[in-house]
Amino acid sequence: MTTTQIRPALDGLSGATHVPHSKPHMQRALLLSLLANAPSTIVNPAWSSEAESLFSSVREFGLDVTGQDSRSLQLTGVGKSVRPGSAKVSVVGSAFNFRAMAAVACLSPGETVLEGNAAMLKRPVTEYLSFIPELGGTLTDISDAGHLRTRIRGSSRLGGTATVDTQHSSQVLTSVLLIAPLAERPVRIRCTTAGAVGEGYIGLTESMMRRQGAGIERDGSSFVVHPSVYDAGVHELASDFTALSYLAGAVATAGHGSVTIDDYYPSELSSERDFLAVLDQLGIRTAYDPVERRLRIEKGDPTAKHIEIDGSNIPTVVPTLAAIAPFVEARVTLRNAGHVNHHKCRRVDVMIRELTRMGCRIGPSHGPDGRVDGFVTSGRQTPAGRVTLDSHGDHRIFLSLATAALGAAGPSAIGGAEHLHASFPDFLTSLNTLGAGVSPA
């Protein structure tokens, strides 16, 4: 494990840097490119370890690369004629990739074995794949102690009604929606909750599908998708607002300063809009220049003495908000984020525990069922730091803890920098560029 020392940003932060392009857009663009029996282009491809794993998987099912450079990726898909090129498709440690490829496997009349690593065994993955038999495929769990494995056989008569859990994740719904136009019969999807978590990501999936010709009807929490064909597509990827959150958090936790993000492309995600609105409440102001494509981040005053945040539509930035909250001149309460405890680790619990070890006063909030669903802080603090923190092998925990460490009284060491390739590989370089003190511990 790589341990990194983060020193307090006593002199503040200033300067310009970049953030990666959007991983959620990249994931959907790759899948839509596979499912379109026509050429597609991805502009500003967002490469991370999870995107590379998904890229390998969709190529196993027939996606062909016809051209590639640093700014674009030209692809040709196979439509519904997907066939795994080998008996086993590995998705390593990504739950999104596992769920998405499980859905794609439903289109293949042959047998597909999906394999994830041992860490995937601790996450709720296979229990949310009931849509496979409901739509006409077969699913067998063949996991062992070291791997999550499922055997899937699709159907040439795919269609019908599926019930999808939307209380804990939006990923299963996205996966079913993406393949539904290529089913032989209409696909009806019933969601388990009226208010799905991560609604912004569902909206992104719908938007990208409609642009390529999919016929979707939505009535509240139910969907009907009619058989159709995906047209050729050009996917120009937005910037990743979750990556942006760590730099916005650095401005919040450092004593003063301002940061400019160059080449920033806003997305249509409602989750991004909601997050920027929360930042404004917390006193972190953003101003975007659409001509220069620059986003400026500066620190101001909170809009109230007590800020209440709904985390249901902003799951990826909940750990960042936990890191920011102890450094805000207001009490902060975040709720409706219990689903974040189903991600790579129990992210809400871990952030509360590690921030407390750093010296922050932060505690859990609880939902009606008594389970942890967020956090509560008591106002502006200066935690002591001078501890070694555990990121639990989770890139978002590392990034969030590093954000908080900039505001501590003393340096903090954080283990797990080797996992940054999953989302923001250049984060530590960006911090140093802005004047932070980052070095190997």
Side-chain angles (χ1 to χ4, degrees):
M1 182 172 65
T2 304
T3 303
T4 304
Q5 181 173 266
I6 311 290
R7 293 185 291 280
L10 299 177
D11 297 326
L13 300 175
S14 63
T17 189
H18 297 79
V19 297
H21 291 282
S22 170
K23 182 168 72 172
H25 285 76
M26 180 67 169
Q27 291 167 323
R28 287 157 179 80
L30 285 172
L31 290 160
L32 287 167
S33 297
L34 169 70
L35 299 173
N37 193 10
S40 296
T41 300
I42 301 177
V43 181
N44 297 324
W47 293 115
S48 63
S49 59
E50 290 187 15
E52 289 169 358
S53 173
L54 182 61
F55 186 47
S56 296
S57 295
V58 293
R59 294 190 73 179
E60 288 281 350
F61 280 94
L63 183 69
D64 186 35
V65 179
T66 57
Q68 183 175 4
D69 57 38
S70 61
R71 294 300 301 273
S72 67
L73 185 62
Q74 292 83 45
L75 306 164
T76 299
V78 295
K80 65 171 65 178
S81 301
V82 299
R83 293 183 184 274
S86 62
K88 183 172 67 177
V89 177
S90 175
V91 297
V92 194
S94 170
F96 178 92
N97 292 359
F98 199 104
R99 291 159 175 159
M101 298 320 297
V104 169
C106 290
L107 298 172
S108 172
E111 184 177 280
T112 304
V113 174
L114 293 182
E115 180 179 280
N117 61 21
M120 295 277 284
L121 293 167
K122 301 176 183 178
R123 304 183 63 182
V125 178
T126 54
E127 50 263 62
Y128 297 137
L129 298 182
S130 59
F131 67 86
I132 295 174
E134 289 175 337
L135 295 180
T138 62
L139 169 71
T140 307
D141 187 345
I142 54 172
S143 302
D144 58 29
H147 300 87
L148 174 67
R149 287 197 192 96
T150 58
R151 182 185 292 116
I152 299 168
R153 186 179 291 275
S155 169
S156 60
R157 292 288 298 158
L158 205 67
T161 300
T163 300
V164 174
D165 181 281
T166 47
Q167 181 178 2
H168 299 106
S169 175
S170 62
Q171 294 178 356
V172 177
L173 177 56
T174 279
S175 302
V176 180
L177 283 171
L178 285 168
I179 66 157
L182 303 186
E184 289 295 314
R185 298 175 289 133
V187 173
R188 292 171 173 80
I189 305 171
R190 296 172 179 165
C191 300
T192 56
T193 54
V197 301
E199 173 63 39
Y201 296 95
I202 298 167
L204 173 64
T205 303
E206 281 188 84
S207 175
M208 293 180 71
M209 289 174 61
R210 290 182 197 278
R211 285 201 295 268
Q212 282 191 250
I216 309 174
E217 298 175 16
R218 183 172 187 178
D219 181 11
S221 59
S222 297
F223 297 81
V224 178
V225 184
H226 299 281
S228 52
V229 175
Y230 283 123
D231 301 327
V234 176
H235 306 281
E236 187 167 356
L237 302 196
S239 297
D240 195 308
F241 86 92
T242 306
L244 170 71
S245 77
Y246 309 116
L247 297 175
V251 172
T253 59
H256 57 88
S258 65
V259 167
T260 298
I261 310 299
D262 290 332
D263 300 318
Y264 191 80
Y265 291 74
S267 76
E268 71 267 44
L269 273 165
S270 64
S271 301
E272 179 171 349
R273 295 193 298 273
D274 289 352
F275 172 64
L276 293 178
V278 169
L279 283 183
D280 187 71
Q281 286 182 279
L282 296 172
I284 301 106
R285 312 283 183 242
T286 58
Y288 183 61
D289 182 336
V291 176
E292 298 293 334
R293 292 203 176 275
R294 288 177 179 159
L295 182 74
R296 190 171 182 81
I297 310 169
E298 296 183 314
K299 190 173 184 177
D301 296 322
T303 58
K305 293 182 178 179
H306 183 197
I307 309 296
E308 296 195 8
I309 302 169
D310 183 341
S312 59
N313 194 34
I314 49 174
T316 59
V317 297
V318 166
T320 322
L321 293 172
I324 294 172
F327 301 91
V328 173
E329 297 283 356
R331 291 182 296 121
V332 179
T333 301
L334 184 144
R335 300 188 187 279
N336 299 325
H339 54 291
V340 179
N341 271 336
H342 294 280
H343 290 187
K344 276 190 169 58
C345 69
R346 295 187 61 81
R347 284 177 171 165
V348 177
D349 293 349
V350 167
M351 285 301 299
I352 291 171
R353 183 165 63 250
E354 296 302 311
L355 288 171
T356 299
R357 292 183 60 236
M358 185 186 288
C360 296
R361 297 187 302 279
I362 181 170
S365 63
H366 296 87
D369 59 1
R371 296 181 181 179
V372 173
D373 80 337
F375 60 80
V376 179
T377 62
S378 58
R380 172 73 174 157
Q381 307 164 30
T382 305
R386 300 186 180 89
V387 291
T388 298
L389 303 170
D390 185 356
S391 67
H392 291 253
D394 188 328
H395 57 112
R396 301 217 183 280
I397 298 296
F398 182 99
L399 289 157
S400 301
L401 292 175
T403 294
L406 295 169
S412 299
I414 309 171
E418 67 271 18
H419 299 292
L420 294 182
H421 57 71
S423 60
F424 197 166
D426 296 329
F427 175 69
L428 298 178
T429 301
S430 290
L431 285 187
N432 276 328
T433 298
L434 299 173
V438 179
S439 60

